[in-house]
Amino acid sequence: MIAVLTGGVVIGGDVFLSGCKTAGKTDAGFTAAHISLLDEIGETIIPATTTPGAKAAQIGEFMKVMVTDCYTQKQQTAFTNGIATFEEACKKATSKSFMDCTTQERHDFLVILEKEAKAFNEKSDEEDKPKKEANEKANNALAWKDQKEFEDSPNHYYTMMKQLTLWGFFSSKTGMTETLRHVPVPGRYDGNLSYVKGDKAWAE
């Protein structure tokens, strides 16, 4: 679902399921300022309303852990370089840093990035397609143990930030118990539960 919403493959998802062991750097270079910025980006994507926003789920720390533990070195570089690119683009668009922008300015800037990311990811997918086919063809002639896994080009940095925000928030205690409806399992099965407009979605 996250991939559908963001228009790109969720990076790190398969590695997360297998224990988050990659060939990436053990220290991806995150600073306290980076964490604060990522918190605010996440909060703009999922703002606090009558329920907590992404910052309440410490989304910046979640991104740091996922990028450090579950991203390859190429993906890590794309993400961390993206933080600097993000700030540069924001200053170019608004004449101020993201941290100094108003709520509306932050929203409008992310809308611009969303469009840029969509075009970037589509172009990247097209460029990867013949490379992926060539890799598959080469693997068909090799024994399984000698085959090489193709690594897709990293998504646009904003796509990665948005994916991690959605993933981190809706898998957090805050997102699952305060924004969504949570009922401990196992529980009673109701195959004909009535829906009332405005009801929260279920966490499970």
Side-chain angles (χ1 to χ4, degrees):
M1 180 59 74
I2 293 175
V4 172
L5 290 173
T6 58
V9 175
V10 179
I11 294 177
D14 53 343
V15 183
F16 175 75
L17 294 174
S18 62
C20 283
K21 296 177 181 178
T22 72
K25 294 178 287 187
T26 56
D27 180 3
F30 285 91
T31 66
H34 290 157
I35 303 303
S36 296
L37 174 61
L38 293 171
D39 273 337
E40 296 304 327
I41 294 171
E43 187 73 10
T44 305
I45 296 170
I46 305 178
T49 52
T50 55
T51 56
K55 193 157 57 172
Q58 298 182 317
I59 205 66
E61 281 292 339
F62 174 82
M63 291 193 209
K64 173 187 174 182
V65 170
M66 289 300 296
V67 172
T68 301
D69 293 352
C70 301
Y71 277 25
T72 65
Q73 189 165 339
K74 183 193 291 187
Q75 293 161 352
Q76 287 176 341
T77 299
F79 188 95
T80 53
N81 286 350
I83 295 175
T85 303
F86 179 95
E87 276 289 68
E88 291 170 5
C90 186
K91 289 177 181 177
K92 185 176 181 180
T94 66
S95 299
K96 60 180 84 170
S97 70
F98 190 78
M99 300 296 276
D100 293 331
C101 287
T102 64
T103 301
Q104 187 60 49
E105 287 172 333
R106 291 180 177 188
H107 170 271
D108 293 345
F109 175 60
L110 293 195
V111 170
I112 293 172
L113 279 190
E114 185 81 46
K115 295 176 182 178
E116 177 186 308
K118 183 175 185 293
F120 177 94
N121 293 334
E122 288 176 350
K123 181 180 179 182
S124 183
D125 288 345
E126 282 300 312
E127 291 176 348
D128 275 352
K129 189 175 180 180
K131 299 175 187 177
K132 188 180 295 185
E133 291 173 349
N135 183 76
E136 184 177 350
K137 185 176 181 180
N139 280 341
N140 288 337
L142 298 172
W144 179 83
K145 64 181 180 65
D146 298 321
Q147 293 181 2
K148 295 181 180 179
E149 184 177 357
F150 179 79
E151 182 178 354
D152 293 304
S153 297
N155 287 330
H156 189 278
Y157 64 87
Y158 176 66
T159 301
M160 291 190 274
M161 292 174 181
K162 186 173 182 179
Q163 287 178 342
L164 290 175
T165 296
L166 295 172
W167 186 0
F169 181 75
F170 287 110
S171 63
S172 70
K173 181 178 180 181
T174 299
M176 293 183 72
T177 63
E178 297 183 64
T179 301
L180 301 174
R181 286 190 285 180
H182 169 70
V183 175
V185 290
R188 180 175 65 87
Y189 173 73
D190 188 344
N192 191 31
L193 182 69
S194 59
Y195 170 74
V196 179
K197 188 176 182 179
D199 277 352
K200 295 179 180 178
W202 293 95
E204 294 82 15

